[in-house]
Amino acid sequence: MTAASVHIYGPSFSNFVRTVMLVCEEKELAYSVGLEVAGKKVAFKSEQHLGLHPFGKIPVLLDKGLILPETASICRYLDTDKKLQPDKCLDFAKHDALCALISIDIDRVLVREYLLEFAFPKGENNSVRFDVVKEVQPKATATLAIIERMLGEESALAAKQFSIADALLAPILHYISCLPAGFNLLTDFPKVEKYLADLMTRPSCQKVLIAKKL
Ligand SMILES: N[C@@H](CCC(=O)N[C@@H](CS)C(=O)NCC(=O)O)C(=O)O
């Protein structure tokens, strides 16, 4: 890795893009972010985008000749000195598994099934489909209960050292906390609320996690 700026291809409102931004901020790495490559707009899902990511997803990290998809892999690549990952073999493996749980299962329920209903409403005249929201709420609540439980155990979450797992979870929780009363499900989970409040004291989180349309 060089001192030159890396580019994160993707819009800065995406939770996964925000994860990579948080890692760059924490590591004080220079970066640019957006749907451009070398100063030229590359439309989401265009041929050129598919050339960067086989499934047309974001983010993609561009660092000199390197084109790297997959958020957790990007974070590990940027974390050259492994400061955002535990060093003991067992803890390293647990952190790795936690990152996968957050980017696959937790993201699917909380972002894809719940938050996206608010961010990209598919109802009549672009209205939020509250019947869909209500249907997903029990699943979203159950997912937050799992996170609440994880926070009560020894894990890489809320450890002394900010981790890649924190960088994956923080943008998701922050977006939920921005929902109006009745939909901000964090209020039923004191450990999750405190975890997010603690994270929000970090300059990286204050800079990247700004209320914005998902
Ligand atoms: N496994 C990928 C998932 C990335 C992902 O799903 N990104 C969303 C935006 S936040 C996306 O590109 N969605 C478009 C799609 O699924 O086609 C990662 O961890 O980077």
Side-chain angles (χ1 to χ4, degrees):
M1 183 107 44
T2 64
S5 171
V6 296
H7 183 66
I8 308 164
Y9 173 75
S12 62
F13 61 74
S14 143
N15 60 303
F16 283 125
V17 170
R18 286 183 167 196
T19 295
V20 181
M21 291 167 74
L22 282 175
V23 164
C24 288
E25 293 289 341
E26 287 285 337
K27 304 194 73 69
E28 298 183 3
L29 295 170
Y31 66 96
S32 51
V33 59
L35 284 168
E36 306 86 29
V37 173
K40 290 212 177 98
K41 172 112 183 147
V42 170
F44 188 60
K45 300 284 183 194
S46 62
E47 278 293 305
Q48 217 183 329
H49 180 191
L50 290 169
L52 299 174
H53 191 299
F55 298 101
K57 295 195 180 195
I58 46 123
V60 179
L61 186 83
L62 305 174
D63 184 24
K64 302 256 187 267
L66 176 73
I67 301 170
L68 193 63
E70 282 301 313
T71 306
S73 305
I74 293 170
C75 294
R76 279 184 215 109
Y77 168 74
L78 294 172
D79 190 31
T80 40
D81 54 7
K82 308 266 185 287
K83 287 233 168 86
L84 303 189
Q85 303 166 75
D87 28 69
K88 283 198 205 110
C89 191
L90 184 68
D91 295 338
F92 187 86
K94 284 184 179 170
H95 172 258
D96 202 38
L98 189 55
C99 288
L101 290 173
I102 298 167
S103 25
I104 300 168
D105 300 284
I106 292 176
D107 171 79
R108 192 186 58 245
V109 176
L110 295 185
V111 179
R112 308 302 125 195
E113 296 185 26
Y114 190 60
L115 282 165
L116 289 189
E117 277 301 327
F118 294 92
F120 300 104
K122 293 189 190 68
E124 226 174 292
N125 302 320
N126 293 330
S127 59
V128 175
R129 297 177 303 178
F130 286 106
D131 54 330
V132 175
V133 169
K134 285 279 162 215
E135 206 179 297
V136 181
Q137 257 185 352
K139 224 202 267 189
T141 302
T143 303
L144 286 166
I146 291 169
I147 300 170
E148 179 86 356
R149 203 173 64 227
M150 285 172 168
L151 287 167
E153 296 160 358
E154 208 178 297
S155 83
L157 293 177
K160 270 188 224 113
Q161 182 63 47
F162 184 87
S163 68
I164 294 172
D166 293 316
L168 282 161
L169 194 51
I172 299 176
L173 297 179
H174 176 256
Y175 270 129
I176 295 186
S177 77
C178 294
L179 292 177
F183 301 102
N184 168 12
L185 305 175
L186 302 196
T187 51
D188 291 333
F189 299 98
K191 290 196 183 83
V192 178
E193 275 205 307
K194 169 148 190 347
Y195 168 67
L196 181 63
D198 288 347
L199 286 175
M200 290 309 290
T201 63
R202 304 182 75 84
S204 63
C205 292
Q206 285 167 14
K207 183 165 173 191
V208 174
L209 305 183
I210 42 175
K212 215 172 178 184
K213 195 173 182 292
L214 188 70

